[in-house]
Amino acid sequence: HAGALRDMIPNHILQLLSLIAMEMPISFGADDMRDEQVKVLRAIRPLHGEDINHNVVRGQYVHGTVDGKDLSAYRAEDNVDPSSMTETYVALRLAVENQRWAGVPFYLRTGKRLARRVTEIVVEFKKPPFTPFRETTVQSLEPNQLIIRIQPDEGISLRFVTKVPGTLLKLDEVDMDFRYADYFGRAPATGYDRLLYDCIRGEATLFRRADMVEAGWLPIAGIQEAWEHS
């Protein structure tokens, strides 16, 4: 009955957002890191009223196939109410209202039974205000992207546009790709392994502080209330 919004956004995904958007901490100590993260969470503009309709999408998966396997719709699953409104997918556009991130949208998406299982962060760079390609056959340039893959294929990619060899002016996207498994010759540990290990040795950096938990629920409180009364 929880749904994708409450299950994933306030804790897992907003923690990733805060790590990406925070200012540089004075050290890698647990409280120094979390002080900067909570500043980001408190700066997220909560959504209310019409803003929810313009910035949030929810849905449920329907009958389909994955890797050739026939899968039921969510409402046809065992122990699920056929009229359930519990969302299995949610997408949001959030704004972090501070000096660094003013005007920069943050898009969050999570769901079950999507086309592929992936956890990643995509940083899309702004297009330059002026480009010398404006009078060439290249009509537009795709923005460069920094892609941080967290699971299951841990690594980092830099995606950018380059000229295709030859006499014609033709551009194409290419990836500079780094995979942890290829470089270090071993598969990374799971997130739970790391958390259990940190818990045993008293390392609190990856654990959320009470003020972070409270700040993480503020951006979605209005969404929950609106959906409960819809």
Side-chain angles (χ1 to χ4, degrees):
H1 300 288
L5 181 73
R6 284 186 288 183
D7 182 35
M8 294 296 296
I9 299 297
N11 39 55
H12 305 295
I13 296 182
L14 285 185
Q15 185 169 19
L16 294 177
L17 185 155
S18 66
L19 286 167
I20 286 293
M22 71 179 185
E23 297 296 326
M24 183 181 294
I26 60 174
S27 79
F28 283 126
D31 279 329
D32 290 335
M33 292 278 289
R34 295 185 292 186
D35 286 345
E36 297 302 329
Q37 287 180 262
V38 78
K39 290 177 185 177
V40 174
L41 296 173
R42 288 172 176 164
I44 296 174
R45 180 168 59 86
L47 298 176
H48 299 282
E50 274 304 304
D51 282 345
I52 296 173
N53 295 330
H54 295 305
N55 295 282
V56 184
V57 173
R58 60 174 167 164
Q60 294 175 337
Y61 62 81
V62 295
H63 171 268
T65 58
V66 175
D67 296 329
K69 182 180 179 181
D70 193 57
L71 299 173
S72 300
Y74 174 69
R75 293 185 179 183
E77 299 278 12
D78 293 339
N79 302 316
V80 174
D81 185 343
S83 61
S84 171
M85 292 297 291
T86 301
E87 76 282 358
T88 64
Y89 173 87
V90 63
L92 302 85
R93 179 174 59 192
L94 297 179
V96 178
E97 296 186 321
N98 60 21
Q99 185 171 358
R100 181 180 294 279
W101 300 112
V104 178
F106 285 79
Y107 296 94
L108 315 180
R109 293 188 297 171
T110 183
K112 297 183 181 297
R113 295 277 169 85
L114 299 181
R116 60 194 179 104
R117 177 180 175 270
V118 61
T119 303
E120 67 180 18
I121 299 168
V122 180
V123 180
E124 187 167 283
F125 295 94
K126 290 183 179 180
K127 292 183 179 180
F130 172 82
T131 171
F133 292 100
R134 68 193 184 285
E135 296 179 355
T136 70
T137 55
V138 178
Q139 299 298 316
S140 63
L141 295 175
E142 293 298 322
N144 296 339
Q145 294 179 334
L146 175 66
I147 303 170
I148 303 169
R149 299 189 305 274
I150 300 172
Q151 283 186 344
D153 180 26
E154 291 86 350
I156 302 172
S157 293
L158 181 62
R159 180 171 299 165
F160 57 94
V161 176
T162 187
K163 181 181 179 298
V164 177
T167 57
L168 298 178
L169 181 57
K170 184 178 180 181
L171 304 180
D172 201 357
E173 288 186 345
V174 297
D175 289 328
M176 292 180 63
D177 199 27
F178 159 72
R179 288 182 170 85
Y180 279 91
D182 293 345
Y183 191 86
F184 295 106
R186 61 181 183 181
T190 67
Y192 293 109
D193 291 347
R194 173 65 184 273
L195 289 177
L196 289 171
Y197 176 68
D198 284 354
C199 185
I200 291 170
R201 67 193 187 103
E203 171 54 63
T205 303
L206 296 180
F207 291 86
R208 306 187 78 203
R209 208 167 53 191
D211 57 346
M212 294 176 65
V213 175
E214 293 178 5
W217 283 96
L218 289 176
I220 72 162
I223 304 172
Q224 291 184 95
E225 184 179 358
W227 287 357
E228 287 171 1
H229 293 89
S230 62

